[in-house]
Amino acid sequence: MVHFADSLTFSGRKVVAAWASLPFPAFPGSSLPDILSAHQQDVPWKLLLSSWREQKVSCCFAQSVVLRGVCRERPSSSLGQPRTPLHGCESPEEMLQHYLHTHFPGSFSTAHVLQQPCDTPPPFPQFFSPLLTRQGFLQDKALGHSSAGPNRAVQSIPVLAALQASPVLHKLLSGLWQDLRARNVRRWSSFFTAGVEQDDFQQALEELKTLSQCYKTGFGGDGSEDEADSD
């Protein structure tokens, strides 16, 4: 994982954030271009940090995205309808790549699409909505409660997972730096008896601050976060 993260970091960056959609929102029989076309406004995955899940990211530096368990074929239902650029792609990887470049223009992106879904047999926790089929696809709301009983455990789900180096990490890292800087570590005798020197601690703080600066961008919204960075 460390080497994989290194492949997505450059210009002094060392950290990536994990995103996921579990399960990936798809209806039975839906094709990949139809599914992606339904999510043109916002990407259908969330940041895997409990306090940051609603954070929206409109740009990133680099990312690697893997989607598995979604129908790869072109949709027969779209014949005769206006075709989108996604429907004109030749392969699932090209479709996902096009989608990523649309939402994150100028970013380095890699895309992989696998046909096999993620299996969820026991003891995998059954925390899924009753509107999911046993294969993890969405049902019509009118059919959800009548077709999904307590014994209909979800056996597999389509999943999207991503590692992303993005500006959202600037706020996360700078917040960590500010929290550590505000603490008086001299009061923690056990901290230094463990072998940590005060000078090493201060150097680590400066390195953390420098690392957070590597995730800043020129886009609006970052300036208000850095009031404490200038002192």
Side-chain angles (χ1 to χ4, degrees):
M1 183 62 71
V2 173
H3 295 298
F4 185 48
D6 286 342
S7 67
L8 299 174
T9 54
F10 43 85
S11 300
R13 305 181 189 103
K14 300 179 181 179
V15 181
V16 293
W19 302 70
S21 181
L22 189 155
F24 186 72
F27 289 92
S30 298
S31 66
L32 183 55
D34 282 342
I35 297 170
L36 296 177
S37 296
H39 297 279
Q40 292 292 350
Q41 299 300 320
D42 294 309
V43 294
W45 57 85
K46 300 291 185 180
L47 182 62
L48 296 185
L49 287 173
S50 59
S51 60
W52 289 63
R53 287 176 182 169
E54 299 305 318
Q55 181 77 26
K56 294 182 179 180
V57 176
S58 58
C59 65
C60 73
F61 308 110
Q63 62 185 339
S64 179
V65 180
V66 177
L67 174 64
R68 55 186 299 179
V70 176
C71 181
R72 299 163 60 97
E73 290 77 13
R74 294 185 178 185
S76 58
S77 60
S78 65
L79 295 178
Q81 299 179 2
R83 296 174 61 85
T84 68
L86 285 170
H87 290 86
C89 296
E90 293 297 327
S91 67
E93 286 77 12
E94 185 180 345
M95 297 173 194
L96 184 55
Q97 192 78 263
H98 184 279
Y99 181 80
L100 295 175
H101 283 307
T102 300
H103 282 272
F104 306 100
S107 303
F108 171 76
S109 302
T110 63
H112 304 278
V113 180
L114 307 177
Q115 187 170 3
Q116 182 179 3
C118 178
D119 293 329
T120 57
F124 196 97
Q126 291 293 316
F127 48 66
F128 304 108
S129 165
L131 299 181
L132 290 183
T133 68
R134 300 185 71 177
Q135 288 71 42
F137 292 102
L138 295 172
Q139 299 181 102
D140 188 289
K141 291 184 178 180
L143 301 176
H145 294 286
S146 61
S147 61
N151 297 324
R152 287 178 56 84
V154 177
Q155 297 179 338
S156 63
I157 54 173
V159 174
L160 182 143
L163 289 180
Q164 190 180 80
S166 67
V168 71
L169 288 167
H170 165 62
K171 186 175 181 180
L172 178 67
L173 294 172
S174 62
L176 177 60
W177 168 73
Q178 293 176 27
D179 288 343
L180 292 174
R181 186 189 60 163
R183 301 185 182 276
N184 185 2
V185 294
R186 295 181 182 276
R187 297 180 178 178
W188 304 341
S189 58
S190 60
F191 188 80
F192 294 104
T193 56
V196 179
E197 299 291 340
Q198 178 68 29
D199 291 341
D200 294 338
F201 178 76
Q202 293 300 326
Q203 181 180 354
L205 276 182
E206 290 303 314
E207 291 176 352
L208 179 60
K209 178 182 178 181
T210 301
L211 178 61
S212 71
Q213 298 296 324
C214 294
Y215 291 88
K216 291 183 64 175
T217 68
F219 296 95
D222 287 336
S224 61
E225 303 166 2
D226 307 319
E227 295 178 357
D229 291 2
S230 59
D231 57 7

